[in-house]
Amino acid sequence: MATDLDPNDPIGQRLRSLSEPALDAASGDAWAGVERHRKARRTRHVVAAFSTVAVVLVVAVGVLAVQSDNGGSHVQVVTPSSVVPTTVAEPADPPIFEVLPVAKTAQLTVTRPGPIPADTEIGVELSQTPHKVGDTINTQMQVCFPWADGETCDPSVDISYQDHSGGVSFYRLRMPGWVRTAAGMASCAQIECRIAMTADDGTRIGTPRLDVIAGVAPDTNTELVNAGADGVVRFTHDGFEPDESWTRYAAAVDEESLSAGYTAICVLTHRLLCDSIVRAQEPTLDAQKHTVDIATNRLLHTPEGWIDCVEFTCAIVMYRTVGVIWNEGSTGSGQEVIAFVPYRLPPTTPAMKKPTMTVTPTENLHAKDVVTVTIRDLPGNVDPIKWRELGGIGQCAAEDLRLIDDCSFATQKTFTELPDNGLRVEYPVRACYNARPCYLALQAGRKGYPELARTETFTVNP
Amino acid sequence: MDNPDTLRELFDDEYTPLVRLATLITGDVAVAEDVVQEAFARALARWKRIEQYDKPGAWVRRVVIRLAVRTRGKRAREMHTPVPDASVADPAAPDPDLLAALAGLPPNQRAAVVLFYLEGFSTEEVAEALDVPASTARSHLHRARTALARQLAIPEMVPDGN
């Protein structure tokens, strides 16, 4: 009896004597398959669900330099053993912020019968009954899948509105074979992807589960190395290049005036809720491999307020500038997501306080009186003086600044740094709008975000 | 071929044997072709760098193995040749009994056998390719050998008491 593993045992000899089996595919057809795979890899651009390739004015992006320990990213030659693996979703679903209810199968139909090969362009039809969708252009339709006891969606897959006729709205998308999840890439052939959206009355509606031929897992070209209790997230990315339109612009006009891409720190859910505070360094898009360290905060300041990256899955998201067009005086461009790196900070990450803001006095105030504003517990990784550039202190009255931003801004004197790392500034108040109680708010400087901190309300007499 | 002038030459030389290797691992010809084409597409994207290596073909081979191992057990649902029923041997295939016996193995055991016997991997290398502990890789190999020995009537390879 042979119990030791011997590659030259009778089985090994018999295996090696196998002659080439007859294969149905001719080599000529096979090379066309290679070209097809290559095209699918090049055009596997994922567009952030909330960003359209529309013309927007370019503003200078102020970035904070975050230096890694070795003084910058380093180039590493990719060797066969360092081919970046693609992570397949694990059975346990990491917690995400805001799990959606499972959509009922209604009102959405896919025009192409299954099975659907990955990267095939398909149409989706939306009917308006029984649950109405008034804004068919801006209401987000997404590729969704089961998560925990509900559903979530891949925020990077773009589904675009095309037209409507006879009460039916038409959409198109390139159906992915694999979706981005908080646990990494997952195959639609395994996790039962579908198309879904939220109707005006809050009901989730969707297609049946789609029969998708997922194909080979795509290479994400990124890998999380570590997410430490100090908030530093280290990851690698490899092979990313600038968009051709940016390259033409940089060569013809000015490479420094428009960044080739940027990096955001976001909470990963069915939509990307990105941090307003930490502006990570621009990604180096030179097709080489880079190791990047980003110093994040435990709490991200998002459109949904402060969210904890110990409790929920967050992600480093890399964007690339695309569709650059320019003429004298103006430049327009869009963005597309090129990489996600999900992470969670460990439970040992120190608790982070939310910033607070107080004002004195709050009684008997008249217009042009000067009050003293004190801000404490500002998050780390941001130069305190930059607060003024981020958004500044405004005098506001609206309950929810995400909906109505009615803040007015006064010229402020320089912030004074306090021994406890707080900031203090003198602020001249004006009459509150419509004689309502008002407050001072430290704003994030980004539309759709709540304030970072606000004072108690006070009244100001004319 | 050690130093192909172009990727296309490498492809013409290596495509068929790589598809055979991937077929043995995945159990499905069309999935194997998909895997090999994907590997060459990746090589094409990096060819300027890869062609500098001593053996560019080895790079492609490793990618094929990695992709095939990752997709082992997953069956494409287009018009593909299904994994052959282990109880039915195709008399036209070379050594149909061996192929049928291989096809009857669970995917991890099949991949382990192919990597160990055909690719010359050590048990540690098999473990790394399958992303399992070394002891698990050895267990896969032992069980696969026993199963193949029984099916192929190689009594000296069947452990005592079985």
Side-chain angles (χ1 to χ4, degrees):
Chain A
M1 179 200 70
T3 55
D4 297 332
L5 291 170
D6 176 10
N8 295 314
D9 61 27
I11 289 175
Q13 292 172 27
R14 198 156 160 182
L15 272 168
R16 283 189 292 275
S17 70
L18 276 175
S19 57
E20 295 181 14
L23 295 172
D24 292 335
S27 183
D29 290 337
W31 184 255
V34 173
E35 294 285 357
R36 210 166 43 244
H37 276 261
R38 188 182 182 206
K39 186 178 176 186
R41 287 173 60 79
R42 271 212 302 249
T43 59
R44 197 175 289 131
H45 293 158
V46 288
V47 180
F50 58 85
S51 72
T52 60
V53 185
V55 175
V56 296
L57 289 177
V58 173
V59 298
V61 177
V63 297
L64 299 170
V66 176
Q67 299 298 320
S68 60
D69 288 344
N70 61 4
S73 56
H74 59 270
V75 173
Q76 175 177 326
V77 174
V78 176
T79 63
S81 61
S82 63
V83 171
V84 178
T86 298
T87 304
V88 177
E90 298 169 359
D93 297 338
I96 61 171
F97 181 76
E98 200 175 40
V99 176
L100 297 168
V102 176
K104 60 191 277 189
T105 301
Q107 296 178 235
L108 292 181
T109 52
V110 173
T111 56
R112 178 197 163 118
I116 304 169
D119 294 325
T120 301
E121 195 162 274
I122 61 174
V124 182
E125 293 180 356
L126 163 68
S127 62
Q128 289 290 336
T129 54
H131 304 283
K132 183 175 167 55
V133 178
D135 186 352
T136 52
I137 295 176
N138 295 310
T139 304
Q140 210 169 35
M141 185 184 286
Q142 295 183 282
V143 175
C144 306
F145 45 91
W147 196 267
D149 56 359
E151 279 185 345
T152 190
C153 312
D154 182 345
S156 65
V157 179
D158 180 50
I159 301 179
S160 56
Y161 170 83
Q162 300 294 310
D163 199 355
H164 72 272
S165 172
V168 176
S169 302
F170 302 95
Y171 299 76
R172 295 205 71 79
L173 74 148
R174 191 169 291 277
M175 185 67 202
W178 293 69
V179 288
R180 300 179 186 273
T181 80
M185 300 299 290
S187 163
C188 277
Q190 288 189 306
I191 63 170
E192 299 184 329
C193 299
R194 65 196 296 211
I195 312 291
M197 66 194 304
T198 303
D200 293 350
D201 64 1
T203 305
R204 295 277 300 166
I205 55 176
T207 66
R209 302 289 181 206
L210 300 179
D211 184 6
V212 178
I213 303 167
V216 176
D219 193 348
T220 62
N221 295 318
T222 58
E223 185 176 10
L224 176 69
V225 177
N226 186 55
D230 58 358
V232 175
V233 177
R234 171 172 285 189
F235 68 99
T236 64
H237 67 85
D238 182 17
F240 292 115
E241 295 180 285
D243 184 60
E244 288 177 1
S245 68
W246 181 89
T247 304
R248 287 195 297 272
Y249 172 83
V253 181
D254 180 2
E255 185 169 347
E256 298 297 322
S257 68
L258 177 64
S259 55
Y262 69 96
T263 305
I265 304 158
C266 309
V267 175
L268 183 58
T269 174
H270 65 282
R271 52 199 172 119
L272 290 175
L273 303 172
C274 298
D275 191 18
S276 71
I277 299 175
V278 176
R279 310 270 178 91
Q281 70 269 39
E282 289 179 30
T284 305
L285 306 178
D286 60 0
Q288 302 295 315
K289 182 170 181 175
H290 295 279
T291 301
V292 180
D293 286 335
I294 295 182
T296 71
N297 289 318
R298 173 169 171 165
L299 301 180
L300 303 189
H301 183 251
T302 78
E304 294 299 323
W306 297 94
I307 299 178
D308 189 342
C309 290
V310 168
E311 187 177 354
F312 299 108
T313 305
C314 295
I316 305 296
V317 184
M318 287 171 51
Y319 292 84
R320 186 173 71 161
T321 302
V322 297
V324 183
I325 55 175
W326 70 95
N327 55 35
E328 286 187 17
S330 70
T331 306
S333 65
Q335 305 123 25
E336 66 178 10
V337 173
I338 56 176
F340 271 33
V341 184
Y343 73 91
R344 271 177 80 193
L345 297 179
T348 51
T349 306
M352 174 180 152
K353 291 182 179 178
K354 298 172 192 174
T356 60
M357 200 164 156
T358 56
V359 60
T360 57
T362 58
E363 303 289 336
N364 298 318
L365 289 173
H366 295 83
K368 297 187 183 177
D369 284 350
V370 176
V371 297
T372 300
V373 181
T374 304
I375 304 169
R376 289 205 160 84
D377 297 315
L378 285 167
N381 300 321
V382 178
D383 182 346
I385 305 305
K386 294 264 183 199
W387 285 115
R388 188 168 178 179
E389 296 176 16
L390 287 175
I393 296 176
Q395 183 172 337
C396 323
E399 184 54 39
D400 189 340
L401 294 180
R402 293 174 298 176
L403 301 177
I404 301 174
D405 186 345
D406 64 355
C407 303
S408 61
F409 295 87
T411 303
Q412 296 152 105
K413 296 181 182 176
T414 307
F415 285 95
T416 302
E417 292 191 42
L418 300 175
D420 60 358
N421 292 326
L423 293 175
R424 180 161 289 155
V425 69
E426 307 297 315
Y427 191 93
V429 297
R430 59 182 64 184
C432 295
Y433 181 68
N434 267 353
R436 295 164 55 191
C438 53
Y439 57 92
L440 298 179
L442 179 62
Q443 293 201 292
R446 293 178 65 172
K447 193 174 179 181
Y449 281 71
E451 68 283 358
L452 289 147
R454 66 159 71 171
T455 67
E456 61 185 285
T457 57
F458 49 83
T459 55
V460 179
N461 301 308
Chain B
M1 167 177 285
D2 289 335
N3 290 296
D5 291 332
T6 67
L7 177 60
R8 188 57 198 266
E9 290 178 6
L10 176 67
F11 176 84
D12 289 341
D13 280 350
E14 299 292 330
Y15 179 76
T16 299
L18 286 174
V19 170
R20 179 184 58 192
L21 170 64
T23 301
L24 290 173
I25 295 175
T26 63
D28 187 304
V29 170
V31 170
E33 287 179 322
D34 204 35
V35 161
V36 175
Q37 289 166 15
E38 173 65 20
F40 274 100
R42 295 185 188 191
L44 194 57
R46 300 169 172 81
W47 187 240
K48 276 189 184 169
R49 201 180 316 138
I50 295 170
E51 69 177 339
Q52 308 298 325
Y53 298 161
D54 283 343
K55 295 185 178 180
W59 188 93
V60 178
R61 194 173 196 85
R62 285 189 70 106
V63 174
V64 167
I65 290 171
R66 192 181 293 252
L67 291 175
V69 165
R70 204 182 296 160
T71 58
R72 67 193 182 280
K74 295 184 177 69
R75 299 179 56 176
R77 282 170 285 176
E78 290 177 344
M79 284 181 3
H80 286 158
T81 307
V83 176
D85 188 333
S87 64
V88 178
D90 177 3
D95 203 340
D97 293 337
L98 175 58
L99 291 179
L102 267 178
L105 292 175
N108 271 340
Q109 290 183 21
R110 185 168 64 238
V113 159
V114 172
L115 294 176
F116 180 75
Y117 284 112
L118 284 186
E119 290 299 301
F121 278 25
S122 65
T123 52
E124 286 74 25
E125 288 170 328
V126 170
E128 187 189 340
L130 297 182
D131 195 22
V132 298
S135 57
T136 304
R138 282 192 289 275
S139 172
H140 286 328
L141 284 167
H142 278 297
R143 289 175 192 227
R145 281 190 345 150
T146 303
L148 289 174
R150 281 209 194 91
Q151 285 228 275
L152 300 173
I154 309 175
E156 66 271 27
M157 291 194 65
V158 179
D160 291 340
N162 287 282

